[in-house]
Amino acid sequence: MIGNSTKLLPAKQRAVLLLALLKNHYPDAHCELNYSSPLELLIATILSAQCTDIRVNLVTPKLFAAFPDAEAYATGDLKKIEKLIHSTGFYHNKAKNIQDCCRLLLERHQGQVPRTLQELTALAGVGRKTANVVLGNIFEVNEGLVVDTHVSRLSQRLGLTRKKDPTNIERVLMSLFPQEEWTLLAHLLIWHGRRRCTARNPDCKNCEVRHLCPQIGIG
C-alpha cells in the first residue's frame, strides 16, 4: 500500500508511481473526440479549442458529411462552415483556420495530413497541442506531449511542475515520463481531470492517486 511518504519522493519517482496507478484505474483511456480519419481528427481538434469534446462531437457528424476531404473545405463556402461549427465558439476564426489549413494541405501535402510536428504546426490554426493530438493518436508518433487545461492543472496539483506555460509544462513532463508513454499519459491525465480531479470541485476523498498528491495534507 502506498503511504504518505510517497508525497515526499522526487518528481521523477512519483511520476513512475503515478503513471502505474492511472493506467490501472483508466485502462480504456483514449481520445474522446470522434473521428475516422487523420483529417477528421485534425479538424475536430481545431474545433476543441475553448470548447468541450462533447460539444465538438455533436457538431462534427454534419460537418464531416458536408466536407469529406481537404479540397471540400478549401473550396467550400466559408459561411456554411461557420454555420455548422457555430456552437463551438470563436466560429469565425475556427472556420477561417480550417479553410486555410486545408488549402495548405492541398498546396504542400496533396491534401493529406503530414506526419511531423514541424509540418503540422506550419498549418493554419495548428499549434503544438493540436499537432501532438494528431501525431500521437493517428500516427502513434510521440514527438511531443499534449498539454490542455486538464494536463496543465493536474501537472501543477500533483507537484510535477510549477510551470504554468504549456510549452514549459510539456518540456517538464517529457523529462519525467518515458517517450513511448507520452500520448497515453495525456489521455490518463485528461480522464482523471474530467472524472475525479475537476477544476472547481476535485473529489480528493475518493481520488485514486491521493497518496501522491501534495495538495492533500499528510497525516
Side-chain angles (χ1 to χ4, degrees):
M1 182 175 179
I2 298 173
N4 285 328
S5 61
T6 55
K7 299 176 185 180
L8 304 177
L9 290 174
K12 187 83 171 181
Q13 295 181 45
R14 285 193 296 111
V16 173
L17 296 173
L18 176 66
L19 182 61
L21 283 170
L22 291 176
K23 279 184 174 182
N24 181 63
H25 288 291
Y26 304 107
D28 300 319
H30 61 273
C31 178
E32 294 187 279
L33 291 169
N34 294 334
Y35 63 93
S36 61
S37 70
L39 180 62
E40 287 187 358
L41 180 57
L42 177 60
I43 299 303
T45 309
I46 291 174
L47 292 176
S48 70
Q50 305 297 313
C51 183
T52 66
D53 287 359
I54 293 174
R55 169 53 54 185
V56 173
N57 288 338
L58 291 174
V59 164
T60 50
K62 289 184 178 179
L63 179 68
F64 293 162
F67 298 93
D69 53 35
E71 184 175 4
Y73 285 109
T75 61
D77 182 358
L78 185 63
K79 293 295 183 183
K80 184 174 182 180
I81 299 176
E82 290 180 345
K83 182 178 180 180
L84 288 171
I85 70 170
H86 185 278
S87 65
T88 67
F90 304 97
Y91 62 95
H92 288 303
N93 287 337
K94 288 181 181 180
K96 185 177 186 303
N97 282 335
I98 288 170
Q99 189 163 74
D100 289 345
C101 174
C102 288
R103 286 172 177 168
L104 289 173
L105 287 178
L106 290 174
E107 293 173 10
R108 301 175 181 177
H109 306 288
Q110 295 77 50
Q112 302 302 307
V113 176
R115 294 171 176 248
T116 70
L117 188 66
Q118 184 176 3
E119 290 173 315
L120 281 165
T121 54
L123 301 172
V126 180
R128 284 189 65 91
K129 187 193 84 169
T130 298
N132 285 328
V133 169
V134 173
L135 288 174
N137 291 282
I138 291 292
F139 302 121
E140 298 184 356
V141 172
N142 289 293
E143 192 169 345
L145 199 151
V146 173
V147 178
D148 71 349
T149 55
H150 299 290
V151 174
S152 177
R153 183 178 72 253
L154 267 67
S155 296
Q156 295 171 61
R157 280 186 178 172
L158 290 168
L160 297 174
T161 180
R162 294 182 179 178
K163 305 293 186 182
K164 295 184 178 180
D165 177 74
T167 300
N168 289 330
I169 292 173
E170 180 184 6
R171 188 177 295 115
V172 171
L173 293 180
M174 289 165 65
S175 72
L176 292 175
F177 295 89
Q179 184 172 358
E180 65 271 17
E181 303 283 11
W182 289 349
T183 298
L184 178 59
L185 172 67
H187 292 324
L188 292 169
L189 291 174
I190 290 168
W191 275 48
H192 193 61
R194 288 173 175 167
R195 291 158 174 80
R196 188 71 76 197
C197 193
T198 56
R200 294 185 179 181
N201 297 297
D203 184 10
C204 298
K205 181 180 178 180
N206 296 304
C207 180
E208 292 82 1
V209 297
R210 68 189 312 274
H211 299 290
L212 296 174
C213 184
Q215 301 298 321
I216 301 175
I218 298 176

